[in-house]
Amino acid sequence: HLFTIGNDGNIFVASYEDMEWVGPSNLPGGGVDISCTSSSKNEVTAVACNSEMAAVFDDTMNIVGTLSLKDFGECTACAVSPDGTKVAFGFPVHGGAGKLYVGKIADGEIKLDKTGHDCLSEPTSMAFSATGHAIAVGELNGETARFDIAKNEFVRGGGRQNFRVESVCFSPSGKNIIAGSVDGSIAMYTEGSRGKKTVAHAHPGGCKGVVFASDQSLISCGSDNSMKTWAIPGIEVSANAAAAAAAA
């Protein structure tokens, strides 16, 4: 399924089969971010947040649980694991830094570990790996980091993009993290490597979203009103995408 949330908190859902949007459901108080699980058959289908609260949605997109976030700050990003059992929220901290809070979901109830984890700046985008063992965190300063849940710590060192990270995702294998930035660049960070591969001008005006179609194929979209397919690991536009762009 595809999910979208607006500033008014209205949530619409569409299936890949018919692409007919259903809704709206609503998150009271407006919408900041939404994250969905891998299957509507899970007990939890999606988690959405605004600056003050988070909500858990079931497969009918009804709210089955909420959590006040006021004690943590103003939430800027959220993510739920593919199986719907883990959740994460990001918050800015006075002085320019940020915090990541990780928790669990059981019977629709969110239980956050109140021990936050320091980010270098405000978290702006987050995503779980396919196994739910790690979280990719994109930040306001262009940094992208991997949070290892088992070790309860960040793994950094891959470098950063020049500006705010708008979207992050893991490859299906979990070895690569892709980050799209407001400066239009796309960067790939590989586990165990301290470097990164970058496409400087993937989307003029900003890269708004990234998602893996497979370990060898990435799809991105941007403020240039285009979608592009990229071949991994070379990060080159695939032949099919190039032909489609030329035809358009």
Side-chain angles (χ1 to χ4, degrees), residues 154-170:
F154 275 107
V155 178
R156 298 184 181 274
R160 66 177 63 172
Q161 290 158 281
N162 293 327
F163 295 97
R164 169 191 173 111
V165 175
E166 290 281 278
S167 182
V168 292
C169 69
F170 274 96

Side-chain angles (χ1 to χ4, degrees), residues 161 169 171 176-180 184-190 195-203 207 210 212 214-220 228-239 241:
Q161 290 158 281
C169 69
S171 63
N176 297 317
I177 296 175
I178 295 289
S185 68
I186 295 176
M188 182 176 75
Y189 303 88
T190 301
K196 70 180 187 299
K197 295 183 179 180
T198 306
V199 177
H201 302 291
H203 291 279
C207 178
V210 289
F212 270 90
S214 70
D215 263 333
Q216 291 78 39
S217 181
L218 175 81
I219 298 172
S220 66
K228 297 179 181 180
T229 304
W230 307 87
I232 304 294
I235 312 190
E236 298 176 351
V237 179
S238 69

Side-chain angles (χ1 to χ4, degrees), residues 166 181-184 202-208 222-224:
E166 290 281 278
S181 171
V182 71
D183 68 359
H203 291 279
C207 178
K208 305 297 289 185
S223 297
D224 55 350

Side-chain angles (χ1 to χ4, degrees), residues 83-97:
D83 64 0
T85 63
K86 301 183 185 75
V87 69
F89 299 95
F91 300 84
V93 175
H94 292 299

Side-chain angles (χ1 to χ4, degrees), residues 8-188:
D8 58 1
N10 283 342
I11 299 170
F12 292 87
V13 185
S15 69
Y16 287 114
E17 287 76 16
D18 55 30
M19 288 302 295
E20 292 185 4
W21 293 95
V22 178
S25 300
N26 185 265
L27 177 64
V32 168
D33 199 6
I34 189 168
S35 178
C36 60
T37 61
S38 60
S39 172
S40 60
K41 297 180 181 180
N42 291 332
E43 179 182 337
V44 175
T45 297
V47 171
C49 67
N50 55 37
S51 61
E52 296 185 346
M53 70 172 289
V56 178
F57 292 84
D58 63 13
D59 60 352
T60 62
M61 289 310 294
N62 288 318
I63 294 177
V64 295
T66 61
L67 175 69
S68 174
L69 300 174
K70 293 181 180 179
D71 292 340
F72 299 92
E74 294 187 4
C75 186
T76 54
C78 68
V80 64
S81 61
D83 64 0
T85 63
K86 301 183 185 75
V87 69
F89 299 95
F91 300 84
V93 175
H94 292 299
K99 286 280 189 181
L100 171 72
Y101 290 90
V102 181
K104 297 180 179 180
I105 303 176
D107 299 323
E109 183 181 0
I110 300 173
K111 295 184 178 180
L112 280 189
D113 182 349
K114 294 186 178 181
T115 303
H117 305 279
D118 292 335
C119 301
L120 298 182
S121 66
E122 173 188 319
T124 52
S125 181
M126 301 191 296
F128 275 86
S129 64
T131 61
H133 294 159
I135 307 168
V137 181
E139 300 181 16
L140 184 65
N141 66 353
E143 180 92 6
T144 296
R146 175 191 182 103
F147 184 80
D148 188 306
I149 293 178
K151 295 180 179 179
N152 209 33
E153 65 182 17
F154 275 107
V155 178
R156 298 184 181 274
R160 66 177 63 172
Q161 290 158 281
N162 293 327
F163 295 97
R164 169 191 173 111
V165 175
E166 290 281 278
S167 182
V168 292
C169 69
F170 274 96
S171 63
S173 69
K175 294 182 178 179
N176 297 317
I177 296 175
I178 295 289
S181 171
V182 71
D183 68 359
S185 68
I186 295 176
M188 182 176 75

